[in-house]
């Protein structure tokens, strides 16, 4: 599981590159800051301090005889009282982050970012907070099974 945390750290670096210099509103009136990028969840008791924030999590995966698939979720949370501005900001972030992640292809020589991904905005937003989500599928290099290629090839 250590390798998965290393992947999440690399994704964090990619997100930092994609949003460098971007400042978003905070709960404190008139103050803007770069989004916090957190591996894991936002502690609910600190949401007002940490928003705007982006979280990175690999909540599940599946190991089969032929591959190891991981599901990587990137959640975005912003504070915005203007609904139209919030909508535009969320989609701008989803676009910037997804393009950066997909263009990466292979990360750390062991993780392949598959080109298909999903995005989602919650049907009901917890106004004045707004949330968006990206989900990526990632193939992780197998290190425990070396005979599968021979078996498939009939050797």
């Amino acid at each position: 599981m250590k390798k998965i945390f290393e992947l999440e750290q690399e994704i964090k670096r990619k997100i930092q590159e994609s949003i460098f210099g971007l400042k978003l509103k905070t709960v404190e009136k008139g103050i803007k800051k770069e989004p916090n990028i957190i591996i894991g969840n936002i502690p609910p008791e600190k949401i007002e301090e940490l928003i705007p924030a982006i979280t990175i999590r690999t909540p599940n995966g599946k190991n089969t005889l032929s591959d190891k698939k991981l599901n990587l979720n990137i959640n975005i949370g912003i504070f915005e009282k203007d609904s139209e501005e919030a909508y535009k900001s969320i989609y701008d972030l989803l676009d910037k982050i997804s393009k950066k992640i997909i263009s990466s292809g292979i990360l750390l020589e062991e993780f392949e970012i598959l080109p298909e991904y999903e995005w989602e905005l919650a049907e009901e937003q917890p106004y004045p907070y707004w949330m968006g989500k990206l989900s990526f599928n990632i193939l992780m290099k197998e290190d425990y099974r070396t005979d599968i290629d021979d078996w498939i090839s009939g050797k």
Side-chain angles (χ1 to χ4, degrees):
M1 297 303 166
K2 179 183 174 192
K3 290 181 181 185
I4 293 172
F5 186 72
E6 290 170 4
L7 168 68
E8 291 169 334
Q9 290 175 313
E10 183 66 15
I11 294 291
K12 181 177 180 176
R13 283 190 280 283
K14 296 290 182 185
I15 293 171
Q16 287 169 327
E17 291 172 10
S18 71
I19 63 167
F20 180 76
L22 177 69
K23 303 242 183 203
L24 298 170
K25 291 180 183 174
T26 65
V27 175
E28 294 182 52
K29 189 174 182 173
I31 296 178
K32 290 185 173 188
K33 69 175 188 174
E34 289 185 21
N36 290 299
I37 303 173
I38 301 162
I39 295 174
N41 293 321
I42 296 177
E45 68 277 5
K46 294 188 175 195
I47 196 164
E48 289 185 1
E49 296 172 33
L50 296 173
I51 294 277
I54 298 167
T55 63
I56 303 162
R57 293 180 50 239
T58 309
N60 56 32
K62 184 175 182 178
N63 207 36
T64 68
L65 287 176
S66 60
D67 59 26
K68 185 183 285 189
K69 280 189 182 176
L70 308 174
N71 181 261
L72 178 93
N73 292 333
I74 298 172
N75 292 289
I76 300 166
I78 64 169
F79 175 84
E80 177 59 65
K81 290 186 177 181
D82 180 310
S83 297
E84 187 174 329
E85 187 59 36
Y87 190 75
K88 285 193 269 184
S89 293
I90 287 284
Y91 269 112
D92 182 49
L93 284 164
L94 290 170
D95 187 53
K96 286 179 181 182
I97 293 168
S98 62
K99 284 180 180 175
K100 185 68 172 182
I101 301 298
I102 289 297
S103 70
S104 300
I106 305 285
L107 295 174
L108 305 173
E109 299 179 11
E110 324 193 30
F111 300 97
E112 179 184 357
I113 311 291
L114 298 178
E116 296 177 356
Y117 64 93
E118 295 181 24
W119 72 91
E120 179 181 355
L121 299 179
E123 190 64 36
E124 294 186 28
Q125 297 286 344
Y127 180 87
Y129 299 100
W130 303 86
M131 308 294 171
K133 176 182 173 182
L134 287 163
S135 294
F136 296 91
N137 289 308
I138 299 172
L139 289 180
M140 185 175 176
K141 179 180 168 185
E142 290 287 349
D143 55 3
Y144 67 92
R145 187 78 189 250
T146 58
D147 63 340
I148 192 74
D149 290 333
D150 289 344
W151 181 75
I152 290 172
S153 301
K155 295 180 182 178

